[in-house]
Structures are given as structure tokens and as C-alpha cells.
Amino acid sequence: MKRREFIKKVGVGAAAVGAGAAATAGLTGCGKQDDSAEVAKLKKEIAALKGKAPAVMKEKTYKWKMVTTWPPHFPMLGEGADNLAKWANEMSNGRLEITVYGGGELIPPLGVFDAVSQGTVEMGHGAAYYWAGKAPATQFFAAVPFGFNAQSMNAWIYSGGGMELWEEVYAPFGLKPLLAGNTGVQMGGWFNKEIKTINDLKGLKMRIPGLGGKVLAKAGGNAILVAGGEIYTNLDRGVIDATEWVGPFHDLKMGFYKAAKYYYYPGWHEPGTALEAMVNKKAWDTLPADLQAIIEAAAYRSNMWMLSEFEAKNNDALQTLVNEHKVQLRQFPEPVLKALKKMAKEVLDEVAASDPMSKKVYESFLKFQSNVSSWNAITEEPYQTFKKL
Ligand code: CA
């Protein structure tokens, strides 16, 4: 082999392994040393680099844990967490292995926030309104009564400044939030009596979480916290008079139709509940940029997947409830919704008045809601009349 060709090949090969070897090849190429001595020296260098190459080129695998607030593999919500992990693994070619744990498998469902905050695990999946006790402003990033639907929530978070505020709310806890799902508009709940006026809510014992529960309390009802697995029994035994959960797809599986006759809409208290993935910020910062981008992409996909699943499957479940199980479908009368909306505004004003961060988020929320409402008034709303061929 001619010396020049050899040096060219060595240069290319070495460059692929490390810049140091390329520099060496380049320098020696200019000299007038004896060829055989130079070749021997270069061969030695290459051999040394080859020995090191596997360690240099093998990419690190990250093995993470994600704890969730959902029962293991719970339809839609838990599956959303499972999918996020699966997609991150696929996109990273196995470099990011996230093992998902259902609520209680590793950490109790409502211990997710602390576990991720403290770095016990790297990731969590749930809904931000579960953490109202940590920071009241978290509630704005899950569901606000008479607030955003899924489309507007996505727009606020992704493109309207919502994400920056969410990051600000989670920063003191060492957490990075990500949108990772949406239920769409929920149902108003299951009742054993008809709700004809706002007074029918007085004294009503209803399982309804978060800000919606505070609104019910203003209407004279009792908002009762019941874990998902105990709702049916409590409703059946009359411990509670009413409950909300999610929508027909889930509610059918929960069997609520066996314990309550009337199924009300719309879910004024949860018009487009966002689900979240949260990442321990220190763990996030150890990830290379491509794996960070992969987690973000998997969360985006999870968000879209979940909303699409709910939209595609809810009506079939509703038809089963109405036609097979003879559920009485009812719409809340407009005066009832109007009264609840007025009370919701009072509740939100109170939350904002009690906490500066909530005030800051609420102001952004109201501004964006006003903005998007103006646009929807000439797009979504007039279209609703003609939405079906
Ligand atoms: Ca709900």
C-alpha cells in the first residue's frame, strides 16, 4: 500500500474513533520519517484505539421507574402511562427503559408527587389536581369548573404560556411537568334523584374531587372524597347519594348504573381534564438531549392517544348504558348550570386571593380563556349547529 493512501485510510478510520488520532495521522503525514517506522507507530495507535472503542461507543442505558396514581394497567389512564414508557423505549432503541408501577405497587397512589419530588423514582403519572395540598395552583393544570376543554387546554399549555407557569409551580418541588393525556369533557355524574333546581344539590353527599367539590359545597352539598375502588360500594349502600367519575367508557366498567338511576351531563366540573407525567428534575438533567426529546415526544403522543381513545369509545359505552341497562340520561337544567358557574367563579376568586402563585396562573388562565372564547365564538360555536351530515 502506498504511504499516502495508507495515511488517508488511517486518518478516516481514526477520525471515526477520536479526533486525537486524526490529528496524529495528519501531523505524521507531513513528515519525512522512515515509512516503515511511521506505519508501525500508526498501527500501534490504531490498535490502542480499537481496544478503547467499545467503551467509548457503547451508549448508556437509563433504567427508570414511573409510579402512577392509577390501578395497574387501568384502562386509558394507566394504559397511557404504559404506552408512554413503551414509546420512549422504542424511540430510544432501548436506551431508556421505564418500568411502570400502578398505584400501590411501589408507592401509594397519592404518594406519587412526593416520590418523584424526592427522587425515590424518576417519573410519575397522574393528574395535577391531586396535588392541591402541595400547591393550590396545581389544580389549574388538570381541570377547572367551566374552564378549558381539551383543545383549549392543549393550546394554553403548549402555545399560550401555560407550560411555563406549570414549570414555575413545580420547580420548588424539583419536578418537571409534561402533558400526558386528556379525558375530554366528562359526564356530570350519577344521581338517585333528578336535579331540577340548584336546591336539589343541598345536602347531597357526592363524591366529587377538587374545585368541583368546592363548588358543590357552595351550593349546599357535601363533597366527599372516596377512592376509586370504593365508590361503587359507597353509592350502593347509600353512604354517598351521588358520584362523578369520568365518562361512559369508564363508568360502564365501574357498574354505577346498578346503584344509581340518573346519569347527568355535561361534566361542568371537568370539561377536559388533563393528565400529567412528571419527571424528577435532577434525573431529567442527567439525560442526554435526545432522550429528553424522546420523553417529550412520547408524552405528546400519549396526550393525543388518550383523548382520541375517549372520543372514539365513549358513545358506544353510553348506548350500552342507555339501551341495555336502561339508564336515565339527563341534562342539567340551564339555570342549574348558570348557578354553578357563578359559584365556580367565586371559588376560583377565593383560591386566587389566598395564594400568589394561584393568582398569577388564574390571570393567565382567564386571559387565555377570553382570547380563545372570542375565536371559538366565530368558529367552534356556530359550527356546532351543523356538525353532522
Ligand atoms: Ca372526574
Side-chain angles (χ1 to χ4, degrees):
M1 186 185 289
K2 291 258 170 66
R3 177 179 171 272
R4 196 173 294 273
E5 285 173 4
F6 178 81
I7 288 183
K8 199 173 160 192
K9 284 190 179 176
V10 167
V12 170
V17 190
T24 308
L27 284 171
T28 52
C30 303
K32 288 198 172 182
Q33 289 171 275
D34 173 68
D35 271 10
S36 59
E38 189 185 354
V39 166
K41 189 185 167 198
L42 287 168
K43 278 185 174 172
K44 202 174 164 188
E45 282 179 8
I46 290 166
L49 282 167
K50 276 184 178 165
K52 286 177 189 167
V56 172
M57 297 185 74
K58 189 171 185 297
E59 289 174 298
K60 186 176 170 181
T61 298
Y62 292 80
K63 295 191 177 187
W64 279 19
K65 294 184 178 79
M66 174 157 61
V67 292
T68 73
T69 58
W70 322 114
H73 317 296
F74 192 65
M76 308 269 197
L77 309 174
E79 285 172 343
D82 291 345
N83 283 339
L84 197 162
K86 187 182 79 160
W87 292 326
N89 190 289
E90 285 171 2
M91 282 191 276
S92 67
N93 197 23
R95 287 164 57 217
L96 187 55
E97 286 179 20
I98 304 170
T99 307
V100 180
Y101 296 88
E105 287 190 316
L106 196 63
I107 301 286
L110 297 182
V112 165
F113 189 93
D114 282 341
V116 184
S117 172
Q118 291 159 10
T120 311
V121 294
E122 293 83 3
M123 283 187 81
H125 192 282
Y129 56 19
Y130 291 142
W131 324 124
K134 303 286 180 189
T138 58
Q139 298 172 100
F140 288 93
F141 304 101
V144 169
F146 299 96
F148 295 141
N149 64 6
Q151 188 166 312
S152 297
M153 178 62 106
N154 285 336
W156 181 54
I157 299 285
Y158 290 139
S159 306
M163 180 50 88
E164 289 75 10
L165 288 166
W166 198 1
E167 285 176 346
E168 195 178 333
V169 171
Y170 276 27
F173 303 96
L175 293 169
K176 176 186 171 54
L178 296 158
L179 269 187
N182 199 300
T183 65
V185 183
Q186 297 197 4
M187 286 293 281
W190 296 84
F191 299 79
N192 270 312
K193 63 172 187 180
E194 288 189 85
I195 306 299
K196 292 179 173 167
T197 75
I198 193 75
N199 290 331
D200 290 325
L201 296 175
K202 284 201 172 117
L204 192 83
K205 288 178 286 179
M206 181 172 182
R207 185 268 178 196
I208 175 170
L211 294 165
K214 290 200 173 83
V215 177
L216 179 73
K218 258 195 198 296
N222 299 311
I224 295 173
L225 274 179
V226 183
E230 294 162 18
I231 302 174
Y232 175 81
T233 313
N234 282 349
L235 187 62
D236 195 44
R237 291 179 183 170
V239 178
I240 53 175
D241 307 313
T243 187
E244 69 80 58
W245 182 235
V246 185
F249 179 83
H250 274 128
D251 294 9
L252 173 63
K253 288 180 192 293
M254 297 288 268
F256 295 141
Y257 61 88
K258 289 181 253 178
K261 187 177 172 187
Y262 299 102
Y263 195 22
Y264 270 87
Y265 67 93
W268 55 272
H269 62 302
E270 297 195 65
T273 303
L275 289 311
E276 68 175 358
M278 56 171 86
V279 187
N280 176 277
K281 187 66 169 56
K282 279 184 191 158
W284 176 261
D285 290 340
T286 65
L287 285 184
D290 64 330
L291 293 186
Q292 291 179 340
I294 281 170
I295 289 184
E296 286 181 324
Y300 260 87
R301 184 174 169 186
S302 206
N303 190 22
M304 181 50 73
W305 174 84
M306 202 183 289
L307 180 61
S308 303
E309 285 284 302
F310 274 117
E311 186 76 358
K313 294 178 177 171
N314 265 329
N315 189 58
D316 285 347
L318 181 66
Q319 295 315 310
T320 302
L321 285 168
V322 171
N323 298 324
E324 286 182 30
H325 302 300
K326 308 301 174 198
V327 163
Q328 298 293 307
L329 192 61
R330 294 281 188 279
Q331 183 172 9
F332 286 119
E334 199 173 312
V336 171
L337 288 172
K338 277 187 174 166
L340 288 169
K341 187 177 169 180
K342 189 166 169 281
M343 291 168 193
K345 184 72 171 54
E346 290 168 14
V347 165
L348 290 163
D349 288 346
E350 285 164 15
V351 170
S354 68
D355 171 53
M357 192 66 221
S358 291
K359 184 170 185 283
K360 188 174 176 181
V361 176
Y362 185 40
E363 280 168 3
S364 166
F365 173 92
L366 286 178
K367 194 176 166 198
F368 195 83
Q369 193 181 42
S370 172
N371 182 301
V372 85
S373 295
S374 298
W375 174 238
N376 286 347
I378 61 158
T379 52
E380 300 286 333
E381 284 170 35
Y383 174 70
Q384 285 304 308
T385 319
F386 305 99
K387 68 190 170 191
K388 206 172 121 199
L389 280 173

